Amino acid sequence: MKHSQTFAMEKACTNLTEVVRSVRLFKIDGFSMTMGIGRDYSFNSRWSFDGYDWEVRIYPRTNEEFNRSWVSLRLIFLSEARTCAVRTTLRCCLVDPTGRLKPSEEDCRSIIFRKPQDSSSQVPLITRCEHLELSGYVKDDSFTVQCTLEVFKELPDVATVSLKEVHLPPSNLHLQFAQLLQSETGADVTFLVSGESFAAHKLILAARSPVCMAEFFGDMKEKCSQTVEIKDMDATVFKALLQFIYTDTVPEFGQQVEADVEAIYTDTMPEFGQQEAAVTVMAQHLLAAADRYGLDRLKLICAGELAGGINVNTAATTLALADLHNCPELKARCVEFIIKTSATLDAVLATEGYKHLEASCPLVVIDLFKAARGRKN
């Protein structure tokens, strides 16, 4: 048995070049009155085409050779070339407006323009002036010249044109992920935090957090678990942590976020940004959570928020937090604030936060007093 195979061949044609064309008629009245006119005298007309401007100059009595007069034409380029050169073809002939005579034989010249005021050489028409008078193209002491201008264009790549012409809307990826978190569509893991439950997506968490990657796709017990209990974390802090993982924003810190994101969480997220103290507490707890899950960007955001709100009551607590979670810039800012003046140092030493710092970070306390002595010296 013979097996036959059919092959389909696709034929496609892609234009790489294009030629655009424009035709103009130029009429010269009073031909007999041009007798004796200077050879450099011309009748001029502006010609706009394909985004460029040209000027056509018709010389009715050009002396070319042996004292014979010719009708000639010159084309002047008046624009800036969009590319390195504008390649054109100019065709000229005499025509009979009444249509009784066929157009004369065309004179065709290829011309390349590169800069403004570039011009073609003079193009002699078919016959000398004395022959023109007898040719039949002079009607009522006038004659008409037909000019055809062709411009050669190389077409840009189609993909490039599409990319330039399509207006891209602003990215709304964070809005879509926020909606995904809110709707719980496709969620495959539930977190239990301080008596509240939060549905999420393992793949998204793993993509954002190396800790989650190890938990859900490594050898840890959470790999096959659909429920994970989070201890030692407040529910509102975990909710803010999830929001950052999905949207890369922290509205609690007054970040500029889309109103749509805020609307999604209006009913589910408490207002932490109204009071400075509440923001500081959130930043402290969120910094610890960011460090716990390897979210370095969120960790820096929290450190920046805390650095901008250091005062006597928060300096020692923030210093302990910075040391515990390896935030050297925040740690330096706290030390600089505490030892700024003797009065500030004394005030910080009297706070509950300093007692916690002294108990949990004794080496930091030693460095603090070394820095204070160095400042006095």
Side-chain angles (χ1 to χ4, degrees), residues 16-35:
L16 300 180
T17 63
E18 181 182 17
V19 175
V20 291
R21 185 177 292 103
S22 179
V23 179
R24 289 287 181 90
L25 297 177
F26 301 97
K27 183 179 180 181
I28 306 297
D29 285 320
F31 175 64
S32 61
M33 299 175 63
T34 63
M35 185 68 67

Side-chain angles (χ1 to χ4, degrees), residues 134-354:
L134 303 175
S135 66
Y137 290 104
V138 178
K139 303 288 185 180
D140 298 325
D141 202 28
S142 67
F143 68 93
T144 302
V145 179
Q146 176 179 290
C147 293
T148 302
L149 179 61
E150 297 175 335
V151 179
F152 179 85
K153 303 171 67 173
E154 294 185 24
L155 299 180
D157 182 74
V158 175
T160 303
V161 172
S162 300
L163 184 60
K164 290 181 179 179
E165 292 179 352
V166 173
H167 175 69
L168 296 178
S171 173
N172 63 348
L173 183 65
H174 59 296
L175 300 178
Q176 294 171 337
F177 274 80
Q179 184 59 49
L180 183 65
L181 176 62
Q182 176 66 17
S183 67
E184 302 182 3
T185 303
D188 54 358
V189 63
T190 299
F191 291 92
L192 302 178
V193 188
S194 299
E196 296 188 33
S197 61
F198 302 90
H201 307 77
K202 290 182 179 180
L203 277 175
I204 295 177
L205 299 176
R208 297 279 282 161
S209 165
V211 175
C212 291
M213 177 66 77
E215 287 181 352
F216 299 128
F217 299 97
D219 296 328
M220 301 178 67
K221 64 179 181 180
E222 289 85 353
K223 180 176 181 179
C224 300
S225 177
Q226 294 182 342
T227 303
V228 178
E229 184 178 2
I230 303 296
K231 298 179 180 179
D232 303 324
M233 187 179 298
D234 187 82
T236 55
V237 174
F238 186 77
K239 186 175 292 185
L241 180 75
L242 273 184
Q243 180 176 342
F244 178 83
I245 289 175
Y246 277 75
T247 70
D248 215 35
T249 61
V250 189
E252 291 80 8
F253 295 164
Q255 288 187 332
Q256 295 297 320
V257 295
E258 299 284 349
D260 296 17
V261 174
E262 294 179 348
I264 289 173
Y265 290 96
T266 297
D267 298 329
T268 58
M269 185 66 77
E271 295 290 343
F272 289 100
Q274 294 182 356
Q275 298 179 358
E276 182 179 349
V279 171
T280 299
V281 172
M282 171 59 80
Q284 291 173 342
H285 288 285
L286 202 52
L287 186 148
D291 190 40
R292 178 174 175 176
Y293 284 94
L295 301 173
D296 292 338
R297 184 171 184 272
L298 177 58
K299 184 176 168 181
L300 289 173
I301 292 173
C302 293
E305 189 68 32
L306 291 171
I310 298 173
N311 56 43
V312 170
N313 294 321
T314 64
T317 303
T318 302
L319 177 56
L321 192 70
D323 181 69
L324 179 62
H325 297 288
N326 190 27
C327 300
E329 295 84 2
L330 179 59
K331 184 176 178 180
R333 290 286 294 274
C334 291
V335 171
E336 182 182 3
F337 173 84
I338 293 171
I339 67 173
K340 181 168 55 176
T341 65
S342 298
T344 303
L345 178 59
D346 293 340
V348 172
L349 295 181
T351 63
E352 290 295 324
Y354 175 74

Side-chain angles (χ1 to χ4, degrees), residues 3-150:
H3 296 277
S4 61
Q5 292 181 315
T6 302
F7 296 92
M9 181 178 294
E10 180 181 355
K11 296 180 67 176
C13 180
T14 301
N15 283 356
L16 300 180
T17 63
E18 181 182 17
V19 175
V20 291
R21 185 177 292 103
S22 179
V23 179
R24 289 287 181 90
L25 297 177
F26 301 97
K27 183 179 180 181
I28 306 297
D29 285 320
F31 175 64
S32 61
M33 299 175 63
T34 63
M35 185 68 67
I37 200 170
R39 61 174 295 175
D40 294 328
Y41 187 84
S42 64
F43 299 100
N44 306 331
S45 178
R46 182 68 65 93
W47 193 351
S48 296
F49 171 58
D50 192 38
Y52 293 119
D53 289 327
W54 284 271
E55 185 175 78
V56 175
R57 299 178 183 176
I58 297 179
Y59 299 82
R61 297 284 179 176
T62 300
N63 296 316
E64 290 291 336
E65 56 182 4
F66 305 114
N67 294 324
R68 295 174 178 174
S69 295
W70 296 76
V71 175
S72 61
L73 180 146
R74 187 187 300 273
L75 184 64
I76 312 295
F77 185 61
L78 302 178
S79 300
E80 293 284 349
R82 292 190 291 268
T83 57
C84 59
V86 180
R87 300 176 182 273
T88 66
T89 298
L90 178 65
R91 307 176 188 275
C92 301
C93 65
L94 295 169
V95 294
D96 178 8
T98 65
R100 297 174 183 174
L101 298 177
K102 294 181 179 181
S104 65
E105 183 178 352
E106 282 188 332
D107 192 299
C108 179
R109 305 292 172 94
S110 294
I111 313 163
I112 298 177
F113 299 104
R114 290 187 171 84
K115 59 182 183 300
Q117 301 304 317
D118 272 0
S119 64
S120 68
S121 59
Q122 288 186 346
V123 181
L125 296 180
I126 298 306
T127 183
R128 297 192 297 271
C129 292
E130 58 269 25
H131 292 171
L132 177 61
E133 297 171 355
L134 303 175
S135 66
Y137 290 104
V138 178
K139 303 288 185 180
D140 298 325
D141 202 28
S142 67
F143 68 93
T144 302
V145 179
Q146 176 179 290
C147 293
T148 302
L149 179 61
E150 297 175 335

